[in-house]
Amino acid sequence: MVFLRRTLLLRYLLLSTTLALLLFISSFWLPQGEQRDCGSVWQPCWTHYSHTPPHPLIVGGWAESEEDAPFIKECPGQSFQAGKLLHYLRSSLAKDGEDILLEPYLLSWDQLLNFMESLGTMVSFFSQKVREKTELIRELSLKHSSEFNGKSAGSSGLQNPAAFGLNTGAYRSVRSMVEVELKEGRVNFSYRTDSGCRTLLRLHRSLLWLKMMLEGLSEGPDSGGRYKTPGELSRDAYRVALAPHHPWVLRQAAEIVFPLLPDREYFLQLVCVQKQEEATPVLRIIIHALSVVHTRTQRILEEYNMLELP
């Protein structure tokens, strides 16, 4: 019994030390600000989840076609809404069939951040880094728009998305941002710069991670009737999408954090369903939209040789 207690204590100390080191190192590039209270590391965020049967949002809502209406539902009492995410993803697809509009793209990330933060404080260092990147692109857009119009960027603040300058001009879309930043010399292929292109590339990789994780959650059991846990799915997706681009300490922390993610039932509740059979069509609709956005972004970054920006 004494030996068992010592073993558990050593494991706890190892986990605590690793996370403390991770947070210390991450503090050099993470935004400093007030964090939402998500409970303990063992209790993920969940705000007043209601078991009241949800209703489809068809007229004036987020289910934008008859095909989606039976599946995409409003989930009362939580910040993440699958319907809003789908709406923003679709809105980001430019009519030319090639480009991505930045304002709805970043609004999609706002919903994905809500999704990530609902998983608890154990993944907060990932969500904080993502949030910093979305804010940087908005800041660059606002600054560029203010300079173009002869105004001070600092006087407008970052409170109103309409003020970000994302509807028109240089930061209207991914392609327009890439072209203007190359023209103005903001992008460097040899060393790191705080450009929108480099920042977008990091978001692009994270989008692949989330897409792969959701693909796993949409699948059925294996031949033995076992479902992979969200922790296993997140870890596998991370190893493909993000680990090759992360330093050793982040990779090691990820191996510790992902097994502590909530169970599959919790993830089903996030898309407002109770059974896997109900979740699969919802997830597949979202995955398809994520895939289209990711593919378009990939093509633009590849066209300008930006897939390996330092």
Side-chain angles (χ1 to χ4, degrees), residues 278-293:
E278 298 172 329
T280 296
V282 174
L283 291 174
R284 286 180 177 172
I285 292 170
I286 295 173
I287 290 164
H288 179 264
L290 286 169
S291 297
V292 175
V293 171

Side-chain angles (χ1 to χ4, degrees), residues 181-199:
E181 289 197 340
L182 283 173
K183 181 179 179 181
E184 295 179 355
R186 293 180 178 269
V187 183
N188 193 289
F189 293 87
S190 300
Y191 58 86
R192 170 181 172 175
T193 60
D194 289 329
S195 65
C197 294
R198 180 188 182 277
T199 304

Side-chain angles (χ1 to χ4, degrees), residues 117-258:
E117 290 172 353
S118 296
L119 305 182
T121 54
M122 292 298 288
V123 296
S124 62
F125 62 92
F126 284 117
S127 62
Q128 287 177 8
K129 288 182 70 176
V130 170
R131 186 176 299 281
E132 183 186 43
K133 290 170 173 53
T134 61
E135 289 178 352
L136 177 58
I137 293 179
R138 283 167 168 152
E139 288 171 358
L140 290 171
S141 173
L142 178 60
K143 181 179 179 181
H144 193 278
S145 177
S146 299
E147 290 174 349
F148 181 80
N149 293 301
K151 299 177 181 180
S152 171
S155 63
S156 299
L158 290 173
Q159 303 301 317
N160 183 2
F164 291 151
L166 292 166
N167 292 320
T168 59
Y171 287 80
R172 176 181 178 273
S173 71
V174 170
R175 185 175 294 278
S176 63
M177 178 184 70
V178 168
E179 291 177 349
V180 77
E181 289 197 340
L182 283 173
K183 181 179 179 181
E184 295 179 355
R186 293 180 178 269
V187 183
N188 193 289
F189 293 87
S190 300
Y191 58 86
R192 170 181 172 175
T193 60
D194 289 329
S195 65
C197 294
R198 180 188 182 277
T199 304
L200 178 74
L201 175 61
R202 271 62 187 175
L203 290 175
H204 180 64
R205 292 168 178 168
S206 295
L207 194 71
L208 177 61
W209 167 53
L210 288 168
K211 182 179 81 74
M212 293 178 67
M213 182 181 68
L214 293 177
E215 285 173 343
L217 287 171
S218 72
E219 296 172 355
D222 59 22
S223 57
R226 177 184 177 273
Y227 287 96
K228 276 194 172 183
T229 67
E232 291 171 327
L233 296 171
S234 299
R235 178 202 62 199
D236 294 346
Y238 174 83
R239 289 175 177 175
V240 173
L242 292 173
H245 312 287
H246 280 177
W248 178 87
V249 66
L250 278 179
R251 296 197 302 269
Q252 296 305 306
E255 294 294 325
I256 296 174
V257 167
F258 288 136

Side-chain angles (χ1 to χ4, degrees), residues 85-94 97-109 112 174-175 200 203-208 211 285-301:
L85 172 60
L86 180 63
H87 170 73
Y88 293 137
L89 288 170
R90 287 176 169 173
S91 298
S92 72
L93 302 176
E98 299 292 335
D99 209 350
I100 294 293
L101 304 178
L102 274 175
E103 182 178 19
Y105 176 82
L106 294 177
L107 289 172
S108 301
W109 266 112
L112 289 170
V174 170
R175 185 175 294 278
L200 178 74
L203 290 175
H204 180 64
R205 292 168 178 168
S206 295
L207 194 71
L208 177 61
K211 182 179 81 74
I285 292 170
I286 295 173
I287 290 164
H288 179 264
L290 286 169
S291 297
V292 175
V293 171
H294 186 272
T295 299
R296 285 197 187 185
T297 308
Q298 177 85 5
R299 287 173 180 168
I300 296 173
L301 293 174

